[in-house]
Amino acid sequence: MSYQPDNIFAKILRGEIPNDTVYEDDEVLAFRDINAQAPVHVLVIPKGEYISLDDFTQGASAEVVGRFFQKVAEIARQLGVDGEGYRVIANTGHNGGQEVPHFHMHICAGRRLGRMIAQG
Ligand code: DGP
């Protein structure tokens, strides 16, 4: 599958759809999830065109990948959730439940999150 430039996060990156930005630089955008599953639910996306974690880690340089993950943790600190803790999730592909085919990490926090994987 090739990158689909009409996916919702590509539209957000192009400014075609508004978003609630919490962090932005030349490589990364972080914004609040429209369907929040926790009191704090932020999505972190690279600005490059990568479909999934698999695509990102194979297609981007080690420096870009490393900086991305450093920024995920930095954004969690900026959100003030590092003390009480948080969860990061990268749903990947069909069985992973990935709905938007632009690589993203979820940062979820603000309450005890319970089991890591729902049963059934
Ligand atoms: P995933 O299942 O991992 O692909 O998660 C996609 C997430 O994207 C899901 O939690 C809802 C969120 N989402 C979908 N459309 C929009 C949108 O237009 N704006 C924002 N802020 N979030 C969106």
Side-chain angles (χ1 to χ4, degrees):
M1 186 174 88
S2 58
Y3 184 81
Q4 300 164 17
D6 60 343
N7 78 76
I8 234 107
F9 294 169
K11 290 180 180 176
I12 285 176
L13 284 171
R14 289 195 296 268
E16 295 167 12
I17 296 177
N19 73 92
D20 187 357
T21 298
V22 300
Y23 175 88
E24 182 169 18
D25 64 22
D26 56 341
E27 292 183 317
V28 163
L29 178 69
F31 53 96
R32 295 191 190 276
D33 194 297
I34 207 167
N35 185 23
Q37 304 294 308
V40 176
H41 188 166
V42 166
L43 302 168
V44 188
I45 69 175
K47 290 192 171 177
E49 296 185 342
Y50 300 105
I51 299 168
S52 65
L53 176 68
D54 191 56
D55 187 30
F56 181 56
T57 53
Q58 290 195 84
S61 69
E63 290 75 19
V64 167
V65 172
R67 279 198 299 274
F68 180 84
F69 283 98
Q70 286 177 326
K71 286 172 191 176
V72 171
E74 183 184 322
I75 290 161
R77 286 193 297 276
Q78 286 188 12
L79 290 166
V81 299
D82 54 310
E84 294 202 314
Y86 58 92
R87 183 173 294 164
V88 293
I89 301 166
N91 295 324
T92 306
H94 177 72
N95 277 2
Q98 183 176 1
E99 292 171 359
V100 180
H102 180 113
F103 171 54
H104 52 281
M105 300 273 331
H106 299 252
I107 300 174
C108 297
R111 64 169 170 81
R112 284 283 284 159
L113 293 170
R115 294 180 68 93
M116 187 166 67
I117 298 175
Q119 304 301 296

